[in-house]
Amino acid sequence: EIKLGLLIQPNCPGYCHTHALHVANELYESKRDFDVYCVSTAFEDFEYNTIETAQALVHEGRLVGVSKRRLGESAPNIPNLPFAHDRVVAKSDAPESLLQMALEVTRENAREQMGPGLHPDGRLEAALARLGPEVLPLQLAHVFYAVKAQGTPTWFVHTKAGVILASNIGHMTKDEMLKWVEDSRSFSSSSSM
């Protein structure tokens, strides 16, 4: 059994509100053979990406910050699916395991964005090895780093046991999403044989 999660920020200035929530709602309402849910997170603009602003989005369709300036007072898509808020903690209060996970995800994302051939002489790896907690934001969100998100919206597929099978940032149509979920499921099935 697999589950599809959507990671958004209430203060997301674009695709979270204009596309991703619409697709997530459609998938949830179509009663597929996988669960669909949404998680509100925060990796920036912490004053706008809070539990309270997530609740205002869900219960009142109210937008905040950049989202409000760009899209108006009311959300074009209100989450009509199970909804939770990521556990966000101050970096100074974060357990060592979260700090290490966030640093490793930051390194992995940098490697992916820089490309493997850009620094074949090892300078990139040497620089990444020197990264410490000072490069992380003032607050850290558990789910955001667990799914290796690079921003929002981020979609992720996982098993019932919580094993992340795939994650993808950005916009996908409903049909693209269904194919991606099926490919993730197929990969999981072939890997467990």
Side-chain angles (χ1 to χ4, degrees):
E1 183 180 334
I2 63 166
K3 299 178 182 292
L4 172 65
L6 169 62
L7 199 60
I8 67 163
Q9 290 192 113
N11 192 41
C12 179
Y15 285 137
C16 293
H17 297 295
T18 59
H19 299 293
L21 281 170
H22 174 73
V23 171
N25 284 338
E26 278 191 350
L27 289 170
Y28 176 72
E29 291 164 5
S30 67
K31 307 291 187 223
R32 299 284 167 178
D33 63 342
F34 54 87
D35 294 331
V36 183
Y37 65 98
C38 185
V39 177
S40 170
T41 193
F43 66 91
E44 63 186 356
D45 301 328
F46 299 106
E47 69 277 17
Y48 291 114
N49 294 309
T50 65
I51 291 174
E52 293 78 20
T53 58
Q55 289 172 337
L57 172 64
V58 171
H59 300 297
E60 304 163 30
R62 188 166 27 105
L63 295 175
V64 296
V66 175
S67 299
K68 180 179 174 180
R69 286 194 301 279
R70 289 192 178 169
L71 302 172
E73 294 277 336
S74 299
N77 295 288
I78 298 171
N80 295 326
L81 63 161
F83 194 88
H85 190 72
D86 204 345
R87 183 166 168 237
V88 181
V89 296
K91 178 170 56 174
S92 59
D93 297 334
E96 185 63 24
S97 59
L98 178 57
L99 286 171
Q100 290 309 311
M101 179 172 56
L103 280 170
E104 187 51 38
V105 168
T106 300
R107 290 180 186 115
E108 287 179 29
N109 288 344
R111 285 182 195 104
E112 184 178 315
Q113 292 172 9
M114 298 293 280
L118 193 58
H119 295 283
D121 60 1
R123 287 183 294 155
L124 176 62
E125 285 306 314
L128 292 175
R130 291 190 301 270
L131 292 181
E134 67 279 358
V135 302
L136 298 173
L138 295 176
Q139 296 183 37
L140 303 174
H142 287 257
V143 175
F144 182 83
Y145 287 105
V147 303
K148 300 180 181 180
Q150 296 180 9
T152 56
T154 291
W155 298 90
F156 55 100
V157 177
H158 64 88
T159 65
K160 186 176 181 181
V163 176
I164 304 298
L165 303 175
S167 65
N168 191 359
I169 186 171
H171 170 64
M172 285 191 268
T173 66
K174 181 180 173 184
D175 290 340
E176 291 168 334
M177 180 62 59
L178 290 171
K179 182 177 181 335
W180 181 70
V181 168
E182 198 52 45
D183 290 348
S184 299
R185 183 193 322 253
S186 297
F187 177 77
S188 171
S189 297
S190 66
S191 299
S192 62
M193 291 181 175

